[in-house]
Amino acid sequence: MPPAALTNWSGNIAFAMTQRLTPASIDELRSAVASTSRIRPVGTAHSFNHIADTDATQLSVAALPSSVVVADDAKTARVSAGMRYGDVASRLLEHGVALHNLGSLPHISIAGSCATGTHGSGAGNRGLAGAVRAVEFVSANGDLVTLTRDVDEDFYGAVVALGCIGVVTTISLDVQPAFEMRQFVFDAMPADSVLHHFDEIVETAYSVSLFTTWRTRDVDQVWVKQRMSEAAEPDPHWLGARLADSARHPLAGMPVENCTQQLGVPGPSHERLPHFRLEFTPSAGEELQSEYLVSREFAAEAFESLATIADQIAPVLQVSEIRTIAADDFWMSPSFGRDSVAFHFTWVKDDGAVRPVMAAVEQRLAPFEPRPHWGKLFSVEPATVALRYPKLASFRDLVRRYDPDGKFRNKFVDPYLG
Ligand SMILES: Cc1cc2nc3c(=O)[nH]c(=O)nc-3n(C[C@H](O)[C@H](O)[C@H](O)COP(=O)(O)OP(=O)(O)OC[C@H]3O[C@@H](n4cnc5c(N)ncnc54)[C@H](O)[C@@H]3O)c2cc1C
């Protein structure tokens, strides 16, 4: 058995697990699940909170055989759930197909990302789980279960499932013909443009991200990712922002070589949609992250509200990213039923200094009923978060059916499951 990672990627969570299992076959996995009384699946351990933690057994599917099988009609691909998005995307390209979207980092696992509602950016793009057509998992008694979109009602609770219904082994994903993209960065977008032209900004291209340090009223950078089929020449003075004439890193002063290629150079979608290159290994994880999704209609109001505490945010922040996500229908997804804007914070790695500011951010966003990202840090009370999920009761029933004895639960999810 490979040595277990004792912490999450950032190192801010020391896992309390007693052992880590890494079964090498589905049969081994099924008997491990059936014979273990408390067990928690883990992916690439990139979450910043205790969602993947347990004081019992942790189980990873990373040692199961990796496979990517594209269907004959080239509309779906069946992939091993423990694979990293970046690896899957490269394999898909060999078959001439691509996923609709990716997160900012290609190093995260498919199962772990879908379980927390991980998303990329794009006003018309649903989160990464939005591509899931079927999910296969081992439930508490060791059964292998398959749930399919448009066929099984349970499917809508089983994809963004917070690790609660079982161990996901294989996921079928919608794919589309491979496409090329290019990206441009704009510097110093005036806050007034953001406030009065937010929809125009986020709808200008397939995927758009705004980066701000909250140190000036302007938004420091806007990353615009165009599909080549809809590529338009950038206006060098777009809404008062300036087209960058050299490559940028979202954090000023950090090496641009770590970032995906910019300056309008076309490339495969999976080498433009993430902000960071797969071959770049994010080093020490010297950061903490939080993110809150609110209804997109409140984007400008929420931005203004956060700007009133910019002087509190800036000293403990590395950078904020603002992006949009289309509504989906996964019961526990932070973008369930609402087109969303996400306010993300990459904090300095100082929990004590960050916590009070995080609470201030949550207070400013409270009128907009934010749903915190399940894989990042937040301090909103579980009872308050629960109110923001209208299908939570259905999710609880689902969990009880596939895991009647609470085998997969942990302290993080307990308050939501009743
Ligand atoms: C540098 C960095 C950049 C990031 N960028 C983004 C971003 O662009 N967009 C975004 O939305 N998020 C982002 N995140 C957050 C990240 O996507 C989520 O935390 C995601 O859940 C990580 O996937 P993971 O495989 O590491 O999951 P883990 O942290 O290992 O686990 C997360 C959850 O998934 C469950 N799980 C894992 N594997 C399985 C399985 N096989 N079966 C059932 N359940 C399972 C676990 O039980 C747990 O509940 C980023 C994180 C980092 C560190």
Side-chain angles (χ1 to χ4, degrees):
M1 188 190 303
L6 297 176
T7 71
N8 64 342
W9 170 79
S10 166
N12 66 312
I13 303 285
F15 290 135
M17 64 186 174
T18 51
Q19 62 167 343
R20 162 89 57 93
L21 299 179
T22 53
S25 71
I26 299 285
D27 283 346
E28 200 187 318
L29 166 61
R30 292 179 62 184
S31 64
V33 170
S35 62
T36 308
S37 59
R38 285 179 51 239
I39 197 161
R40 188 78 185 145
V42 65
T44 46
H46 278 73
S47 297
F48 289 86
N49 56 35
H50 284 281
I51 193 166
D53 196 11
T54 177
D55 56 7
T57 298
Q58 223 179 26
L59 185 144
S60 160
V61 293
L64 293 179
S66 320
S67 98
V68 173
V69 179
V70 178
D72 288 343
D73 64 4
K75 290 189 173 153
T76 48
R78 204 168 165 272
V79 308
S80 307
M83 292 179 72
R84 302 182 307 170
Y85 266 101
D87 297 322
V88 170
S90 318
R91 297 270 290 273
L92 290 176
L93 186 59
E94 292 166 13
H95 296 271
V97 293
L99 296 169
H100 77 298
N101 208 356
L102 292 164
S104 66
L105 191 75
H107 305 73
I108 47 183
S109 83
I110 307 263
S113 302
C114 290
T116 59
T118 289
H119 58 87
S121 183
N125 288 325
R126 300 200 295 169
L128 304 190
V132 177
R133 178 169 290 207
V135 60
E136 295 175 39
F137 61 94
V138 174
S139 64
N141 60 6
D143 284 350
L144 194 55
V145 181
T146 302
L147 296 173
T148 306
R149 189 173 69 207
D150 299 332
V151 175
D152 301 295
E153 176 62 12
D154 286 352
F155 171 82
Y156 299 95
V159 179
V160 182
L162 318 180
C164 294
I165 56 153
V167 180
V168 177
T169 56
T170 309
I171 293 188
S172 294
L173 295 164
D174 291 331
V175 293
Q176 56 185 280
F179 55 101
E180 296 232 308
M181 297 187 71
R182 65 179 186 180
Q183 62 182 337
F184 297 97
V185 175
F186 291 84
D187 291 325
M189 174 69 78
D192 285 344
S193 297
V194 175
L195 293 173
H196 300 300
H197 300 276
F198 186 79
D199 287 343
E200 180 184 338
I201 292 170
V202 296
E203 288 171 9
T204 195
Y206 189 70
S207 169
V208 176
S209 289
L210 292 76
F211 287 97
T212 177
T213 54
W214 300 101
R215 290 191 182 101
T216 63
R217 236 181 97 67
D218 292 348
V219 160
D220 303 63
Q221 297 174 8
V222 182
W223 289 41
V224 173
K225 299 172 191 253
Q226 305 174 330
R227 284 177 81 123
M228 290 311 290
S229 55
E230 61 181 23
E233 278 317 302
D235 169 359
H237 304 288
W238 180 44
L239 293 172
R242 293 183 312 275
L243 183 64
D245 56 5
S246 60
R248 297 284 188 266
H249 188 290
L251 290 173
M254 294 296 283
V256 295
E257 297 74 35
N258 297 344
C259 296
T260 48
Q261 198 159 11
Q262 302 158 35
L263 300 167
V265 179
S269 57
H270 74 280
E271 293 179 5
R272 295 295 177 275
L273 284 167
H275 306 319
F276 301 104
R277 296 177 196 256
L278 181 62
E279 59 275 21
F280 149 67
T281 307
S283 54
E286 284 303 313
E287 61 190 64
L288 301 173
Q289 294 188 8
S290 304
E291 190 170 33
Y292 305 90
L293 280 74
V294 306
S295 237
R296 197 179 121 181
E297 65 194 286
F298 301 127
E301 264 180 276
F303 179 86
E304 274 221 287
S305 183
L306 289 172
T308 63
I309 54 165
D311 59 337
Q312 290 177 58
I313 297 173
V316 291
L317 185 81
Q318 302 195 43
V319 72
S320 265
E321 181 175 2
I322 303 168
R323 16 181 195 176
T324 50
I325 305 105
D328 65 33
D329 34 23
F330 297 112
W331 302 339
M332 296 308 289
S333 164
S335 41
F336 174 79
R338 55 191 208 193
D339 288 331
S340 301
V341 55
F343 291 91
H344 163 91
F345 302 83
T346 299
W347 307 109
V348 297
K349 197 171 171 188
D350 180 346
D351 196 72
V354 165
R355 289 276 166 185
V357 183
M358 191 194 302
V361 163
E362 290 170 356
Q363 198 198 7
R364 296 312 305 168
L365 290 179
F368 313 109
E369 303 193 343
R371 294 179 181 147
H373 191 302
W374 288 115
K376 303 187 182 179
L377 294 173
F378 58 92
S379 59
V380 184
E381 285 299 322
T384 306
V385 175
L387 291 174
R388 296 179 185 154
Y389 285 90
K391 295 287 286 183
L392 180 60
S394 306
F395 182 66
R396 286 178 177 166
D397 288 346
L398 178 80
V399 172
R400 263 181 234 119
R401 255 179 293 128
Y402 290 107
D403 182 21
D405 299 324
K407 177 178 282 196
F408 297 117
R409 292 168 67 144
N410 68 1
K411 286 187 191 141
F412 179 93
V413 297
D414 270 345
Y416 302 101
L417 297 177

